[in-house]
Amino acid sequence: MASTPSIPSHMKAWTYSEYGNIEDILKFDPNVPVPELNDDQVLIKVVAAALNPVDYKRALGNFKNSDSPLPTSPGYDVAGVVMKVGSKVKKFKVGDEVYGDINENALKNPKAIGSLAEYTAAEEKVLAHKPFNLSFVEASSLPLAIITAYQGLERASLSSQKSILVLGGAGGVGTHVVQLSKHVFGASKVAATASSGKLELLRNLGADLLIDYTKVNFEDLPEKFDVVFDAVGQNERALKAIKEGGKVVTIVEPEIPPAIWYLLNSEGVVLEKLKPYLESGKIKPIVDPKSPFPFSNVVEAFAYLKTHRATGKIVIHPIP
């Protein structure tokens, strides 16, 4: 097992020991044990981490029956440097710059030590090499959101002959749905909803039709779509916006059939597949202008995430 002598036994991390509102229960702990490695894992020195709604939903105890035991250090998205590799790891070596969503299944036994810590451990299969042109901040913003977007478009069978409407186009997942629809899946038309101030962003990402949801009800438009990707929880309205035989995919429960709710499966192979698009600049990470938040301001960053006003992703950097 390759290793470096500079790995401490304990580290700084944000943790909670009870369920509740994440801003109330999250505490800074300067003395958390560095996680042990399994044979198929790598130890990552965390450089940047992104926040996701699943972090605060998990903290509320919404899936406590399948959660890891408390205390928990939250955080799914990570970008950092490999410090140590397990004996069965083939793809990475010490010193590699990597990124990924460290939990293969978001709701089933997620790791007790997440990415809001100095070090985290993750399986080789959920990680990918960081694109050379992206900063750690940019890379950390991608994994959970871009994999969710990609897998949803695959479920919807989006192709070059089909049109798509993206609900919540300026959000963490929505910005990637717009870009992937246009540049990877080659949709014939990409429409997206956002508030007035974010429409220009959507145009720059590749949206053909911009819908200001503060002024227009998208379901009342005469034009209907082959696919609607619902990133905001408007299934009932989304179903009125599809053509006959069209599909609605949603990442917000509860879904209203025939809308399809799904949860991502974190896969490093998806990130590797999208690497050429990221390195060419066709697909861009979208980091909220208030980011990065320093490690000391994690609670404030979560409060901002819960306003649902962020554009793209909220990132924590440096750590610590």
Side-chain angles (χ1 to χ4, degrees):
M1 188 181 277
S3 65
T4 64
S6 55
I7 301 167
S9 61
H10 288 72
M11 63 178 178
K12 304 178 183 77
W14 285 91
T15 66
Y16 56 85
S17 299
E18 59 183 329
Y19 290 118
N21 286 319
I22 199 160
E23 307 99 301
D24 301 329
I25 59 175
L26 202 56
K27 307 288 185 234
F28 179 77
D29 189 336
N31 198 36
V32 175
V34 170
E36 297 290 323
L37 278 193
N38 295 334
D39 289 344
D40 63 341
Q41 292 181 326
V42 304
L43 184 70
I44 302 165
K45 173 69 180 78
V46 181
V47 178
L51 306 187
N52 292 283
V54 68
D55 290 308
Y56 62 73
K57 293 174 182 177
R58 178 186 178 191
L60 285 169
N62 287 0
F63 47 100
K64 67 172 86 173
N65 292 339
S66 58
D67 203 356
S68 53
L70 296 172
T72 292
S73 177
Y76 284 62
D77 283 326
V78 69
V81 179
V82 174
M83 300 298 287
K84 191 174 180 181
V85 299
S87 59
K88 293 181 180 173
V89 171
K90 303 280 193 296
K91 196 164 69 170
F92 303 109
K93 63 185 186 303
V94 171
D96 282 356
E97 297 180 347
V98 297
Y99 75 128
D101 165 7
I102 65 170
N103 292 308
E104 185 176 9
N105 185 303
L107 309 186
K108 291 181 183 171
N109 200 31
K111 291 178 175 57
I113 299 295
S115 55
L116 292 176
E118 284 186 87
Y119 295 88
T120 192
E123 288 73 27
E124 178 180 36
K125 64 183 173 182
V126 302
L127 299 172
H129 292 95
K130 181 178 77 65
F132 73 86
N133 58 321
L134 299 186
S135 67
F136 284 103
V137 168
E138 291 170 324
S140 74
S141 76
L142 288 167
L144 189 148
I146 205 167
I147 296 170
T148 297
Y150 183 87
Q151 291 178 347
L153 295 175
E154 281 199 320
R155 281 176 181 258
S157 306
L158 187 66
S159 65
S160 58
Q161 289 80 43
K162 294 181 179 178
S163 60
I164 182 169
L165 169 61
V166 185
L167 306 183
V173 173
T175 51
H176 292 300
V177 177
V178 170
Q179 294 185 84
L180 294 176
S181 297
K182 188 73 171 181
H183 301 299
V184 178
F185 290 82
S188 59
K189 186 167 193 176
V190 179
T193 67
S195 57
S196 314
K198 297 179 180 179
L199 296 178
E200 191 58 31
L201 168 68
L202 297 186
R203 188 193 310 281
N204 293 336
L205 295 181
D208 305 298
L209 175 62
L210 311 173
I211 302 168
D212 184 342
Y213 69 73
T214 68
K215 298 175 181 173
V216 177
N217 290 324
F218 64 84
E219 70 272 30
D220 296 335
L221 295 172
E223 183 173 3
K224 303 303 175 189
F225 301 88
D226 296 298
V227 174
V228 176
F229 191 112
D230 175 16
V232 290
Q234 296 177 333
N235 285 196
E236 199 165 351
R237 295 172 63 194
L239 289 165
K240 296 173 184 173
I242 51 171
K243 297 176 182 176
E244 189 173 342
K247 289 184 179 178
V248 173
V249 290
T250 182
I251 57 173
V252 184
E253 289 188 283
E255 80 275 26
I256 298 169
I260 305 161
W261 176 81
Y262 75 100
L263 191 67
L264 88 157
N265 185 50
S266 178
E267 296 177 300
V269 68
V270 172
L271 298 176
E272 295 287 6
K273 192 182 294 184
L274 295 174
K275 192 175 181 184
Y277 297 94
L278 291 161
E279 291 190 339
S280 69
K282 281 187 176 176
I283 306 288
K284 297 177 175 66
I286 307 299
V287 178
D288 184 83
K290 290 190 178 183
S291 289
F293 284 78
F295 197 57
S296 56
N297 288 15
V298 165
V299 173
E300 179 189 333
F302 270 118
Y304 178 46
L305 177 66
K306 289 171 83 170
T307 67
H308 304 292
R309 295 201 181 113
T311 301
K313 295 300 292 289
I314 298 167
V315 175
I316 309 299
H317 168 82
I319 297 178

